[in-house]
């Protein structure tokens, strides 16, 4: 198994280019099933999760041609409609393929996605929405099979603004009969990117970015080329790394309007920011101040930044409160940070963080993608060396992490584990 070894205590300084968004890429890669033709995607991050999606598409009969951050997908010869259980378990977000396969081929078989270390991750909202669209669902031994003659578009009210459920409804209904109206839809920028992609294919969707989406079914969708939006969580991550280490970071190639809640909190913590349309320059104070954060669905503070902010705040001056309101248990990483000297108490949905200067390197184990990234941030501020195991979790969501951090002056290298 591969580990990261990080020698902490260095200020991060320099420029870093932001990659394409993982959470925009995954539903867009799934959506390439819908046109039964050619899709050319650019600025796709080369990470584990996109590679997994390509693997599943090839199992369905697609051909996938990759070159660095460009991928050409031909879905004209799709002849299978089952997402392999092992791949479904490995990557829960592959449930997003179900909506696309059903939308195009009116059938799909998939298994309950594996839970992970941020909660049970149910898909009840997805399944209820599929049933509203006239899809017949039968379940046996963990397998879910879906069938329908046509997709009957209709009104769908989501109990919770679920990102994945909103995306799955968009994918399942854009070739349906009639019009689907989603109320209480998720408003994330990745939903807007998916709408733009589908409309480029010839779909008729409006309202993305608001809590009401309107999808009018069309007969067919055409070949498409599309450039994926930048990754707002990656951008926030590097800015937090700069803030935690007292450094000076310029992040480039992002859409700064996507990260306003993160920038507001970094300013509150004492960082000075020069904000452009597609870049942010951060100069950290000698020691950041404690701040309070509540995660909420977009446009609130993103849950994916929670663990990264907790790690950054472990060295702040004062006590911070971080409240996780999106996932029911997204604090598994905390016990690993405590092994490094962090002073964190969990009370219900809130992490109480007493800032300290005494963070030291040791051996820790990544528990999930963003929790693992929190350990990287902690290691960057720790005295001496930290060894992080299970880094495959982290490499799911961060392209060229080691190279980008090295470029900012971090002492990080990969090491074969025992
Ligand atoms: C997407 O996950 C992202 N993943 C997550 O990012 C992100 O944290 C999350 O949205 C929230 O912004 C991708 O886009 C691939 P949800 P998703 O459905 O769609 C509950 C990362 O680190 N829920 O909005 O799974 C669910 O349990 C990942 O990049 C139901 O109860 O998130 C959770 O508590 C992690 N029933 C809440 O809603 C359902 O049917 C939010 O889930 C679906 C969701």
């Amino acid at each position: 198994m591969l580990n990261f070894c990080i020698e902490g205590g260095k200020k991060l300084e320099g420029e870093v280019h932001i990659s394409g968004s993982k959470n925009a890429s995954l539903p867009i890669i799934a959506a390439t099933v819908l046109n039964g033709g050619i899709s050319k995607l650019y600025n796709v991050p080369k990470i584990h999760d996109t590679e997994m999606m390509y693997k599943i598409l090839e199992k369905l009969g697609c051909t996938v041609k990759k070159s660095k951050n460009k991928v050409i997908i031909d879905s004209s010869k799709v002849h299978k409609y089952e997402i392999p259980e092992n791949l479904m378990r490995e990557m829960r977000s592959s449930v997003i393929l179900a909506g696309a396969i059903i939308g195009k081929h009116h059938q799909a078989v998939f298994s309950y996605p594996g839970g992970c270390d941020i909660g049970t991750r149910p898909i009840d909202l997805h399944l209820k929405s599929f049933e509203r669209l006239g899809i017949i669902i039968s379940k046996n031994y963990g397998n879910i099979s879906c069938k329908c003659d046509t997709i009957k578009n209709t009104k769908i009210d989501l109990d919770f603004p679920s990102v994945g459920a909103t995306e799955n409804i968009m994918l399942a209904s854009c070739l349906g009969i009639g019009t689907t109206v989603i109320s209480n839809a998720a408003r994330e920028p990745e939903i807007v990117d998916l709408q733009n992609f589908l409309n480029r294919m010839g779909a008729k969707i409006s309202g993305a970015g608001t809590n009401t989406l309107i999808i009018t079914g069309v007969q067919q969708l055409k070949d498409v080329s599309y450039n994926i939006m930048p990754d707002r969580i990656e951008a926030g991550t590097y800015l937090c790394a700069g803030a935690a280490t007292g450094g000076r970071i310029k992040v480039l190639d992002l859409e700064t309007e996507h990260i306003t809640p993160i920038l507001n909190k970094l300013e509150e913590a004492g960082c000075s920011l020069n904000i452009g349309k597609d870049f942010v320059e951060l100069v950290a104070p000698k020691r950041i101040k404690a701040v309070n954060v509540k995660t909420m669905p977009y446009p609130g503070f993103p849950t994916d930044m929670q663990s990264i902010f907790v790690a950054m705040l472990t060295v702040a001056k004062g006590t911070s409160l971080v409240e996780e309101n999106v996932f029911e248990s997204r604090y598994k990483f905390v016990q690993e940070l405590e092994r490094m000297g962090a002073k964190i108490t969990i009370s219900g949905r809130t992490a109480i963080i007493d800032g300290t200067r005494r963070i030291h390197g040791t051996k820790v184990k990544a528990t999930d993608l963003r929790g693992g990234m929190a350990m990287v941030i902690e290691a960057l501020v720790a005295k001496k060396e930290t060894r992080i195991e299970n880094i495959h979790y982290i490499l799911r969501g961060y392209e060229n992490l080691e190279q980008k951090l090295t470029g900012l002056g971090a002492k990080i290298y990969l090491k074969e584990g025992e």
Side-chain angles (χ1 to χ4, degrees), residues 55-67:
K55 237 195 242 173
I56 301 174
L57 287 184
E58 284 171 332
K59 289 242 184 268
L60 303 177
C62 291
T63 50
V64 178
K65 283 200 200 76
K66 300 174 280 187
S67 59

Side-chain angles (χ1 to χ4, degrees), residues 22-23 92 121-125 162-164 304 326-327 370:
K22 166 178 87 80
N23 291 348
R92 129 183 194 95
R121 314 284 305 268
I123 57 169
D124 56 310
L125 300 178
S162 155
V163 171
D304 292 345
V326 177
F327 286 98
R370 308 299 176 184

Side-chain angles (χ1 to χ4, degrees), residues 22-24 26-27 49 92-96 116 118-127 160-167 186 188 190 231-233 296-298 302-304 324-330 349 368-370 397:
K22 166 178 87 80
N23 291 348
L26 298 178
D49 277 13
R92 129 183 194 95
S93 36
S94 49
V95 67
I96 210 71
C116 59
I118 60 176
T120 50
R121 314 284 305 268
I123 57 169
D124 56 310
L125 300 178
H126 298 246
L127 299 179
F160 179 87
S162 155
V163 171
T166 302
E167 290 165 344
E188 273 68 4
E190 292 77 21
D231 194 313
R232 60 192 171 102
I233 305 301
M296 297 302 278
Y298 196 87
T303 174
D304 292 345
E324 171 56 56
N325 295 304
V326 177
F327 286 98
E328 84 258 15
S329 65
R330 202 167 189 177
R349 285 185 168 275
D368 60 276
L369 164 56
R370 308 299 176 184

Side-chain angles (χ1 to χ4, degrees), residues 1-243:
M1 291 293 267
L2 277 177
N3 301 335
F4 272 144
C5 288
I6 298 173
E7 183 73 32
K10 296 175 183 43
K11 290 179 193 270
L12 294 194
E13 308 201 328
E15 297 189 350
V16 60
H17 290 266
I18 298 305
S19 300
S21 162
K22 166 178 87 80
N23 291 348
S25 300
L26 298 178
I28 286 173
I29 293 168
T32 62
V33 164
L34 288 165
N35 66 1
I38 305 290
S39 301
K40 289 180 183 163
L41 306 180
Y42 302 89
N43 198 35
V44 188
K46 198 170 168 36
I47 50 178
H48 170 280
D49 277 13
T50 49
E51 296 296 320
M52 286 292 294
M53 286 295 270
Y54 303 146
K55 237 195 242 173
I56 301 174
L57 287 184
E58 284 171 332
K59 289 242 184 268
L60 303 177
C62 291
T63 50
V64 178
K65 283 200 200 76
K66 300 174 280 187
S67 59
K68 204 168 171 330
N69 297 110
K70 173 183 166 189
V71 65
I72 300 176
I73 297 166
D74 179 349
S75 63
S76 58
K77 297 200 174 44
V78 167
H79 56 279
K80 288 203 184 122
Y81 315 110
E82 176 160 2
I83 305 173
E85 179 173 356
N86 61 321
L87 299 178
M88 187 84 191
R89 282 197 161 285
E90 194 170 329
M91 189 175 70
R92 129 183 194 95
S93 36
S94 49
V95 67
I96 210 71
L97 265 162
I101 300 167
I102 298 168
K104 176 70 179 169
H105 298 285
H106 296 164
Q107 59 179 310
V109 177
F110 54 99
S111 61
Y112 272 96
C116 59
D117 280 300
I118 60 176
T120 50
R121 314 284 305 268
I123 57 169
D124 56 310
L125 300 178
H126 298 246
L127 299 179
K128 261 189 333 196
S129 303
F130 284 169
E131 287 175 329
R132 290 279 302 153
L133 292 168
I135 297 162
I136 314 293
I137 295 175
S138 49
K139 303 171 191 171
N140 52 349
Y141 310 113
N143 253 349
I144 301 167
S145 51
C146 304
K147 262 193 185 324
C148 64
D149 298 331
T150 58
I151 297 282
K152 299 185 192 72
N153 285 342
T154 183
K155 203 170 156 14
I156 298 176
D157 296 353
L158 285 175
D159 303 345
F160 179 87
S162 155
V163 171
T166 302
E167 290 165 344
N168 244 339
I169 299 165
M170 292 165 78
L171 295 169
S173 59
C174 55
L175 286 168
I177 311 284
T179 298
T180 283
V181 179
I182 311 174
S183 309
N184 197 25
R187 300 170 54 189
E188 273 68 4
E190 292 77 21
I191 306 272
V192 178
D193 220 32
L194 179 60
Q195 171 183 278
N196 294 342
F197 174 77
L198 290 168
N199 286 345
R200 183 79 59 84
M201 267 186 165
K204 283 194 174 48
I205 306 177
S206 60
T210 75
N211 51 22
T212 305
L213 263 91
I214 301 172
I215 301 114
T216 304
V218 294
Q219 293 284 333
Q220 66 174 44
L221 296 166
K222 56 187 191 291
D223 291 358
V224 65
S225 293
Y226 193 77
N227 204 58
I228 303 282
M229 69 174 249
D231 194 313
R232 60 192 171 102
I233 305 301
E234 185 196 20
T237 301
Y238 285 106
L239 289 168
C240 286

